[in-house]
Amino acid sequence: MNEALPDVPEVRVVGLPQLTSGFDLVERLDLPMHLKVHGPLEPLGGERLAQLSESINLKGRGGAGFPFHRKLRSVAESAIKRGVRPVVVVNGSEDEPACRKDTVLINRAPHLILDGALLCAEALGARTLVVGVTRESTQRSMEAALAERGLSNSRRSALRAFVQRNPVRMVTGAAASLIRSIDGGPAIPPGRKVSASQNGVGGAPTLLSNAETFAQLAIAARIGPERYGNTGLYDEPGTVMLTVSGAVARPMVIEVPTGVPLRYVLQLAGAPPVPQGVLTGGYHGKWIDAATVDEAIVSRNSLDAVGGSLGAGAILPISQETCPLGESLRVAQWLAEESAGQCGPCYLGLPAAARGMEDIINGGGPAALEALKQVARNVKRRGACSHPDGSAMFLESTIKAFTDDLAAHVLGNGCGRPVEGVLPLFEGGRAATGIPGGAEPEETGPSRQKIYVDWTLCRGHGLCADILPEVFELGADGFPTVAQAQVPRYAEAKALRAVRRCPALALRIEEEAPRDRAPSRNLPVLSQGRGRRALGR
């Protein structure tokens, strides 16, 4: 089994280092060492900074790949139009088990990230800078870097700067989740699509981008677009930070110029000479097969052209000795657990997709395959964030990439290979589906409440499954598939809502006696038949 990656794995570089300059000298570049390695940085005006970003074709390195110059200009225009100060946010929330590039940069070169963020803050006239992180190590490193620069969250500061620490959850990396948490809410998407450039932190226009993006901007501002363009491809100049893990001898973060063959990167990490497949872009990415690996080079356009994805920069090969569907099932189950629990297509669809993958592996036949395809189609473009879209893309890519194994499981007795667990996942499991933002322990697990269905009253309206999908599913006949169930602690309020809204008054909740007390008769919290009067209705 592949162990979870450390926060800072081995770091390698192909060619001349840019982002990783000085890594061979010290473990962490404090401010004096940072200035010795990179030199001073002169401020740039807003339009010059936008032109620099456009000339080097800088795109967000967090996965979406949105052009940075367009985001910069949009924030500036919105701030001028509304007459308000914008906010700059660095997204260092790297919560995918297979990604460590931003974590490495924050831990080892935090001032390079701050250089880029402060360039933008000065160019835009921002008075607030926030760095979002989810790990203790990144929080410590970035807070130390802010202190080394004399930056604080004091109201008297010309620039207020602070670190926002959120739970380690896949959905906390979404821009809307980070903004919501900075404003004091839970670190989950708000349930509606908003543009940070127009309405971000505190309602102000907000420039939010990934940690590596700001570091790349700082490098380009120092050396200029011509020198920056001398490295890598003409249309995608510069370097890329990758995290390589999976079936490799040496998991690592590696800085490479764009245009380097993907095969060479895999060889450096000790991947199998002929991998069965390579997952590109991380767990919201796409699989490519062994033949395609020989054609691919490290660039966004090249990987897109061969059916892969640069995404968040994670590269994960698997060997010929493991079942690719079984490996993908482990990831699908983890993705389902990472739902924020507020959009039906996500918290219902992703677990259903994982069950569909499991049915295929267990010999469910063509019907199981068609069911999985249908679920994957249904969850796309219907959530409050990109999590269901990325998860669906991963599942569809799995089906497309491993056709021989799929046929063996769907039409035969399986591929006969074990699941080695080479794709890294977090140790110790994850918080249950539906716990917003990674709840504290006292909010997890079962409560002492049970919800019951009175079959003499139930008329199959189905409202209970809409309100409380954690407990109720509807069978083929349209009625709930369970008669009684324990209520998860985080879903107690929804359970009460389901009881209140049941048109037939067929639901009731009963409280169980605490374990340290003698058993006593369960008293109904809200009994059927008296429900409306008890609520004063």
Side-chain angles (χ1 to χ4, degrees), residues 243-457:
T243 310
V244 188
S245 63
V248 298
R250 299 178 302 280
M252 64 177 60
V253 168
I254 181 169
E255 181 183 12
V256 300
T258 55
V260 168
L262 181 60
R263 169 70 65 188
Y264 181 64
V265 173
L266 295 172
Q267 288 173 351
L268 285 176
V274 183
Q276 182 174 190
V278 177
L279 180 58
T280 59
Y283 295 160
H284 279 177
K286 298 179 180 179
W287 289 99
I288 59 176
D289 59 27
T292 306
V293 170
D294 291 329
E295 305 173 21
I297 63 174
V298 177
S299 84
R300 190 178 302 278
N301 291 339
S302 171
L303 288 171
D304 286 346
V306 298
S309 169
L310 180 61
I315 305 295
L316 301 106
I318 60 172
S319 70
Q320 299 283 350
E321 286 71 43
T322 189
C323 173
L325 300 185
E327 295 289 347
S328 297
L329 172 61
R330 294 176 65 245
V331 175
Q333 290 170 335
W334 179 80
L335 289 169
E337 290 175 352
E338 288 300 290
S339 169
Q342 58 182 4
C343 299
C346 191
Y347 70 72
L348 294 177
L350 297 188
R355 290 193 298 269
M357 180 71 76
E358 190 171 13
D359 287 345
I360 290 173
I361 293 173
N362 293 333
L369 176 59
E370 288 306 313
L372 174 58
K373 289 179 178 179
Q374 183 65 45
V375 170
R377 285 194 295 266
N378 288 344
V379 303
K380 288 189 292 188
R381 294 180 294 278
R382 296 177 61 202
C385 69
S386 62
H387 183 55
D389 296 348
S391 302
M393 183 168 67
F394 168 79
L395 290 164
E396 290 174 335
S397 173
T398 301
I399 294 171
K400 183 178 179 181
F402 302 109
T403 52
D404 291 345
D405 291 87
L406 196 63
H409 283 280
V410 171
L411 303 176
N413 297 319
C415 66
R417 286 173 290 186
V419 178
E420 297 178 341
V422 297
L423 301 180
L425 295 172
F426 289 120
E427 293 178 344
R430 309 294 295 147
T433 299
I435 302 176
E440 295 299 319
E442 62 268 17
E443 296 177 12
T444 65
S447 69
R448 292 195 303 271
Q449 292 184 357
K450 275 190 174 182
I451 192 165
Y452 293 81
V453 178
D454 187 334
W455 295 115
T456 65
L457 298 173

Side-chain angles (χ1 to χ4, degrees), residues 31 34 57 160 173 184-185 218 231 235 241 276 322 326 352 424 427 474 510 514 525:
L31 185 56
H34 168 74
N57 196 20
R160 298 181 63 179
T231 299
D235 57 343
M241 295 286 284
Q276 182 174 190
T322 189
E427 293 178 344
L474 300 182
E510 293 186 1
V525 174

